[in-house]
Each structure stands twice: as C-alpha cells, then as structure tokens.
Amino acid sequence: MQFKNVSVFLSLVAQSWVAKAAAVTTPNDDTAVCGKLADVARSYKSGALRADLLLVNGTIHTMDAAETTATVVGIKDGSIVYVGDSAADARQSFLGSPPTVDLGGRMAIPGLVESHNHIVLMGNRPGYHTPLENAYSVADVQQTLAARASRDAVPPGGFVTTIGGFHSNQFSERRLPTLEELDAALPQHPAFVSIGFNGPSVTNSLGKAYFESATLATGPVAISANGSIAAGVETGKALLTLRQQLTMANRTRGVRDAMAYAASMGITTHLDQGAFQAAGTPADGAGHEDNYAMHDPWLAVYGARQGTVRLRINYLHQDNETGVPALTQRLRNAFPFFGGDMVRTGGVGEFIADLDEYSGGPVFEAAARAAARAGWRVEVHSLTADDFRTQIEAFEKVDAEIGIRDLRWVVAHVPQITTEYLARLKKIGGGVNLSSWQYLAGTGPSAGPPYRTIVDSGIPAGVGGDGMQIAPMNPWVQAYYAVTGRNALGDQINEGQQISRREFLHMYTRANQWLLGGPDEPLLGALEVGRLGDVIVLDDDYFGVQDEDLRKLSSVLTVVGGAVVHDTGAVTGCAASL
Ligand SMILES: *[C@@H]1O[C@H](CO)[C@@H](O)[C@H](O)[C@H]1NC(C)=O
Ligand SMILES: *[C@@H]1O[C@H](CO)[C@@H](O)[C@H](O)[C@H]1NC(C)=O
Ligand SMILES: *[C@@H]1O[C@H](CO)[C@@H](O)[C@H](O)[C@H]1NC(C)=O
Ligand SMILES: *[C@@H]1O[C@H](CO)[C@@H](O)[C@H](O)[C@H]1NC(C)=O
Ligand SMILES: *[C@@H]1O[C@H](CO)[C@@H](O)[C@H](O)[C@H]1NC(C)=O
C-alpha cells in the first residue's frame, strides 16, 4: 500500500467513518482474533484499536495496586470490562459471544510500557532493518539475517541492514561477522550491519560493490577486504547513501516492521525521545533524523489503521542560545498530550538544549523556563558524575520561579545519581527513568543505574531501555541486566544494585504510568476494569525461568485495545504474522 504524506487529519476523519461502516458489515468470525493487518484495520473504531476479546484460563498478573492474580480478563470495545476468575460472569458484559482465547495456564501481564526509547528512528531506518538483540553468535546473526530476507520476501537487491541496538560483545566470537559470513547468509541481498551510533560496520560482497561505486553522491566508502567499514565518517557515508534513497513507502514499511517487532517483544506503548537533528552529511549517525518529518510515516501508518502499538512523542530540542528560538516555536505551535489513544504528543526531551549546554547553564535554564511557563513535561538526558547535579539545581531554580511540581519532570538514565540528589528531585515533584543501556558495552564495578538505591528512595521511577542505537529494545534483555547486574560479556558490573523480577516488572508496567502522565496515567500499565485492553502472553514463566533464559522471553500473543496484533499461534492456533 502506498501512503501519501498529506492531510493525515482529513484521512483520519474519513477512515474513522469507514471503520464504523465496516464494523457493522464484518461478521465477528474467528479470523478476527488472528493478528493479520486486515483484522487490525477492522478493529479500528474512531481512530483507535477497540475490539472485543475474552482471555480465559491464564495466570494473569494484573499489576493492580495489590498485585492481584486472575485467570480471566474481558475486553470490550478496547477497554477492560472484567478481571477475575469466572468466564461466565465476564460474558455478561458482552452482547453476543466475544472471541475467546484459552491461555492454557500461560502467564499474561499488562502490555509493557516503555518510558524511554527511540522507536521512531527505528521505523525510519534505511533497508530492511533486522534487530540482532537476540543473537549470541555469528551463526545466530547469519540465521537471523537469512530468516529476515526469506520470511519478509525482501526483493533481490534490497538491503538487509542492522543499524544499532546490539554489540559484538554479545556474540561468543566477540567480533562482527565477516564479508564471507554475510555472503553465506545473504547471497542475493546487500548487507550492512553497524554497531551503535557510528559503527564499526561490516558489509558483504553485494554491499561492498554498491558502497564502493564511484557514482555515489557521498563518494565511495572505504571498505577492508573482510568487509569491515571503520567507525565514524566511513560508516556515516554508508548510512547517508542508504538514507538518500529512502522513500515514504520504505519508511512506512519500516514503521510497520518496528511495530511488529515491538509487539513480538510485548511492548505495547512507547514513549519516544526523539533524534539528533540530521544535517544530511556523513557526520550524521544512527541517532540522527529530521525531527520535523520523521513522525510523518508513523502518522501515515496510524492513518491507514495499521498501527499496532501505541506511540507517545517527546520533542527533542537543542537550541544553543538563550532565546531558544526553535523550542519557542514548538511551544507556540504544538500541544502537550494532543492526539488519541494510539498516538499522542508527550513532552519535551530527552534534550532541551544543545550538547554543550545539556547539563545546565543559561541556555538549559532558558529552555526549562520556557517549558515550565507553557506547562509541558520535560525529560533530560543525564549520564556523567555531575550533570544530574547541575540539571536538578536548574530544575530547583525554575521550580522556585515558576513551579514545576505537577509537571513531572524527569532526569533520565542517571547511572551515577546520589541519594541526596534523588531526595532533592523528589521534593520538587520530579522522577527518574532508568535505562539498562550499560548491558551491551558497560564495565564495572558500578556501571549503574543504581536500581536498588533508586527503588529504595521512593522517588517515582520507571524503566525504559533507551533502544535502538546504544541499547536493545528487547525488554527481557533489560530485565536480565536489572536483575543480575551482568553485561553482555557475562561480567558483574552493577554489584549491590540488582532488583527483583517483581520490582522490574512493576517498573515496566504500573510505575511507568507516572512517567507517561496526562490522559494515559489511569489507562495503561495495569489490568483493571476501565483501563485499555493491552495484554501480553509470555512464552515462558517470567518468575520461574533461569536468569540466563530471561533474555529469551517473548510474547506469543500481544493484544492492544482488545485486538490481537501479534500471534505466534502458540495459544490460538491461527499462527499468523502481520
Ligand atoms: C486450562 O489449561 C490447562 C493447561 O493447558 C488445561 O489442562 C485445562 O483444561 C484448561 N482449563 C480450561 C477450563 O480450559
Ligand atoms: C525503497 O523502496 C524501493 C522501491 O520500493 C526499493 O527499490 C528500495 O530497495 C528501498 N530501499 C530501501 C533502502 O529500503
Ligand atoms: C577486518 O579487517 C580489519 C582491518 O583490515 C580489522 O581491523 C578487523 O578486525 C577485521 N575484522 C574481522 C571481523 O576480522
Ligand atoms: C547554533 O545553532 C545554529 C543553528 O543550528 C547554528 O547555525 C550555529 O552555528 C550554532 N552556533 C554555535 C555557536 O554553535
Ligand atoms: C527516560 O530516560 C530516557 C533517557 O535515558 C529518556 O529518553 C526518556 O524520555 C525518559 N522517559 C521518561 C518517561 O521520562
């Protein structure tokens, strides 16, 4: 399907009308629970997924305030109408007989809420981006890339890419694959596999021939005989030449792929934290995009009623002068929490000032004042041993002048935050969001974040993985890191700061309500009557598997607003992919 980047608003209005007509004429047959894009489209009503579904015979951890377990959840018109133990009682909430899924005793939990990632970038990646988050050897890499090309019928000549979200530390060989190994996996497709923001990268024979072409606008890329491309500008040239060919159709396909991957991992809500503004030069890395256009393919997919996960948009700003001109225009022309249940705006972050000013100073303070006056949420990126201090001190100043206590300002990542500063932030109504990005390449003994200290401090805290460049999206890899303190090499790097599996699950569901804020807070993160019907069914027992196997968990059935958006066939027997 070809999407046009025009008039998303008008098409949303038109489509919600069509969806109403379709709902009347489409029988509620078995196909409606099978997770195909056609079913997803039919489940859209008034711009959001709103379907009926009854889940029975599960081990359902509701994550309500009392952490109740139930066996039955009923979802009607996208919202939860029953949680308990009687399928007969649940059926009384429906007019006819709702599609019913027997979970066969499997563990189910609320759809995960990811409070900090970069899924918008992932959807805009060039090529057929293929997450390597669950590859533990070069053979796994080969298998994952080959499966991507065949499963998704990548046309011959179409680039199969992996851009960020993994590290060679996670492979038993502790290196990237070679050109020959990529040729064996992808004989008919050019390949580009790149670590982090800027490489190093590797390509295969078809990719090498392409990147070495003298006709490229970027100039030929320097590539070793074994296919390796140096980190930095050479990787940047390869990325840029792929990006220069991206069409809107490539991007909407990438968005649907990113959504499908998220649904397979069980993350049903994503708070996106923006991109570094692309300059269109080889200095751009995987974290760069056009902050003013990168949401268009996402809106197109939602407009076509094919959105399968929920997106919340933060606007990243990096002004470098105290007039904060770009942020000022944003605050004049955008609205916080504007949109609907599937996609809406969030706050300003994870940067509010440029890289020289992000940790405080006059531009940072000017941006914070502007956001406070306009009543927006703010989230700032904090990494070093000092930046959280200057940021929290600036927040205190703005709180005293303007007041931020109800706005839920967040300091993110915080690998080195101290008890004193946690208390100061808590006092002005702030919170922290914890990322496990150190898993891939961090080193000990205190790589952070100090999960234990933070949880024990009682400050509002949630987790977000900070995928997809420096870290994986995979929430189960994050669980492994938070629970064990071990990195991808297996080294202990966060001793004494581990948290329990229950604490981690709480921070990835109910606790992240606070970080979303706005209209989402009473609707997401738990399975309770009145909340949105987002449920995931796991392939194994989260509380029972060995630590090493935590990383391999995934969802066998993902439900958003009562609609099945991912289904491996393990529970309903209708094995279908989108
Ligand atoms: C629930 O699932 C278990 C395990 O598959 C099965 O033995 C049992 O028959 C199911 N119970 C009901 C009521 O469907
Ligand atoms: C973009 O789409 C075109 C046409 O569908 C295709 O030929 C090309 O390979 C795609 N490029 C990327 C980088 O996905
Ligand atoms: C490929 O060759 C480059 C230099 O020619 C070297 O630095 C790199 O380690 C090699 N990569 C592999 C995977 O062997
Ligand atoms: C500030 O940002 C503008 C716009 O991005 C840029 O042109 C200018 O060079 C920057 N100035 C400094 C001092 O970095
Ligand atoms: C959590 O922190 C990350 C940065 O680590 C940030 O991008 C994200 O927006 C934060 N989430 C919230 C809800 O503040």
Side-chain angles (χ1 to χ4, degrees):
M1 183 178 243
Q2 183 81 29
F3 300 106
K4 295 272 189 310
N5 177 23
V6 289
S7 247
V8 170
F9 175 73
L10 286 179
S11 75
L12 272 169
V13 171
Q15 275 145 7
S16 68
W17 186 84
V18 171
K20 273 180 205 144
V24 177
T25 54
T26 307
N28 202 1
D29 58 31
D30 288 347
T31 59
V33 297
C34 281
K36 297 202 177 73
L37 270 183
D39 301 325
V40 168
R42 274 187 307 196
S43 302
Y44 264 83
K45 293 173 201 160
S46 311
L49 284 168
R50 299 186 204 283
D52 292 353
L53 194 68
L54 183 57
L55 301 167
V56 300
N57 198 23
T59 305
I60 303 170
H61 294 262
T62 65
M63 304 311 287
D64 65 7
E67 304 212 350
T68 311
T69 306
T71 54
V72 177
V73 168
I75 302 165
K76 186 183 173 196
D77 252 346
S79 294
I80 297 174
V81 290
Y82 179 86
V83 181
D85 295 308
S86 163
D89 287 355
R91 283 207 173 83
Q92 298 194 344
S93 302
F94 297 88
L95 285 176
S97 167
T100 302
V101 177
D102 181 347
L103 299 181
R106 285 177 187 272
M107 177 172 167
I109 56 177
L112 299 176
V113 175
E114 162 62 66
S115 66
H116 186 137
N117 75 13
H118 298 274
I119 193 172
V120 171
L121 276 166
M122 185 183 184
N124 279 280
R125 294 263 197 266
Y128 287 75
H129 173 73
T130 308
L132 287 176
E133 306 179 339
N134 263 324
Y136 295 98
S137 64
V138 167
D140 286 353
V141 173
Q142 292 176 299
Q143 191 272 330
T144 307
L145 297 175
R148 167 69 148 151
S150 60
R151 186 190 62 226
D152 298 320
V154 178
F159 254 91
V160 176
T161 56
T162 302
I163 299 169
F166 76 101
H167 195 279
S168 45
N169 278 353
Q170 76 198 51
F171 310 145
S172 50
E173 295 86 353
R174 312 286 188 232
R175 61 164 176 83
L176 283 169
T178 62
L179 175 140
E180 288 78 15
E181 287 162 343
L182 290 179
D183 280 349
L186 293 168
Q188 294 182 317
H189 299 92
F192 177 66
V193 174
S194 184
I195 291 179
F197 292 97
N198 296 99
S201 313
V202 60
T203 187
N204 64 354
S205 294
L206 287 171
K208 187 165 186 283
Y210 171 79
F211 288 128
E212 287 178 342
S213 159
T215 62
L216 293 182
T218 55
V221 178
I223 304 179
S224 308
N226 65 10
S228 79
I229 303 173
V233 78
E234 295 304 324
T235 283
K237 276 155 65 179
L239 253 180
L240 182 59
T241 184
L242 292 178
R243 280 182 170 149
Q244 283 169 341
Q245 297 166 55
L246 272 172
T247 62
M248 191 61 170
N250 295 145
R251 291 178 194 264
T252 52
R253 192 259 308 143
V255 167
R256 291 195 304 271
D257 287 352
M259 289 179 169
Y261 183 71
S264 77
M265 290 293 123
I267 308 179
T268 53
T269 301
H270 300 254
L271 175 53
D272 187 80
Q273 303 284 345
F276 295 124
Q277 184 60 33
T281 72
D284 290 348
H288 289 72
E289 248 302 341
D290 182 350
N291 277 295
Y292 302 94
M294 69 184 187
H295 303 105
D296 292 350
W298 285 81
L299 297 178
V301 168
Y302 286 111
R305 293 180 289 145
Q306 294 187 339
T308 56
V309 297
R310 304 184 195 276
L311 177 69
R312 304 297 179 253
I313 297 168
N314 268 9
Y315 293 116
L316 183 152
H317 279 281
Q318 300 208 285
D319 282 313
N320 59 11
E321 50 180 297
T322 51
V324 290
L327 177 61
T328 300
Q329 288 307 322
R330 179 75 79 184
L331 296 172
R332 281 182 182 156
N333 291 291
F335 305 95
F337 304 128
F338 181 74
D341 288 347
M342 297 307 294
V343 54
R344 82 168 117 243
T345 62
V348 182
E350 64 176 288
F351 285 91
I352 64 170
D354 89 345
L355 280 178
D356 294 333
E357 310 267 357
Y358 86 93
S359 63
V363 179
F364 183 93
E365 284 175 25
R369 275 191 199 97
R373 277 197 202 97
W376 280 66
R377 271 189 79 243
V378 160
E379 172 153 358
V380 296
H381 158 109
S382 165
L383 277 190
T384 71
D386 285 317
D387 52 9
F388 64 86
R389 297 172 205 271
T390 42
Q391 290 169 336
I392 291 169
E393 284 159 16
F395 282 10
E396 287 170 338
K397 213 159 152 183
V398 176
D399 180 54
E401 288 170 27
I402 302 167
I404 62 165
R405 285 173 202 228
D406 299 325
L407 298 181
R408 304 202 175 169
W409 285 18
V410 168
V411 182
H413 312 305
V414 292
Q416 317 210 31
I417 198 161
T418 63
T419 312
E420 180 202 340
Y421 276 84
L422 282 169
R424 289 171 68 168
L425 182 59
K426 191 176 168 194
K427 199 167 161 209
I428 53 172
V432 291
N433 121 31
L434 308 179
S435 325
S436 48
W437 60 278
Q438 294 276 32
Y439 164 78
L440 284 180
T443 51
S446 310
Y451 294 104
R452 181 81 271 142
T453 305
I454 290 169
V455 169
D456 293 346
S457 80
I459 194 169
V463 289
D466 204 18
M468 320 306 162
Q469 289 76 241
I470 199 173
M473 178 203 289
N474 188 333
W476 310 108
V477 168
Q478 299 171 45
Y480 171 83
Y481 178 67
V483 165
T484 67
R486 294 190 180 280
N487 67 9
L489 295 168
D491 299 336
Q492 177 55 254
I493 61 169
N494 208 18
E495 187 54 54
Q497 292 293 348
Q498 297 92 335
I499 52 175
S500 71
R501 293 186 193 195
R502 187 164 288 283
E503 286 168 327
F504 179 82
L505 188 58
H506 176 77
M507 290 171 80
Y508 224 124
T509 52
R510 193 174 188 89
N512 270 344
Q513 287 169 29
W514 189 93
L515 291 152
L516 292 174
D520 286 324
E521 187 171 7
L523 294 181
L524 293 169
L527 303 177
E528 292 173 299
V529 170
R531 289 181 186 258
L532 295 175
D534 296 1
V535 186
I536 64 173
V537 182
L538 300 181
D539 64 344
D540 209 336
D541 176 9
Y542 170 76
F543 290 112
V545 295
Q546 297 292 307
D547 282 349
E548 296 303 310
D549 293 332
L550 265 180
R551 291 183 289 196
K552 296 179 186 155
L553 288 173
S554 62
S555 172
V556 291
L557 186 80
T558 299
V559 175
V560 173
V564 174
V565 298
H566 164 77
D567 179 9
T568 63
V571 284
T572 59
C574 58
S577 71
L578 297 169

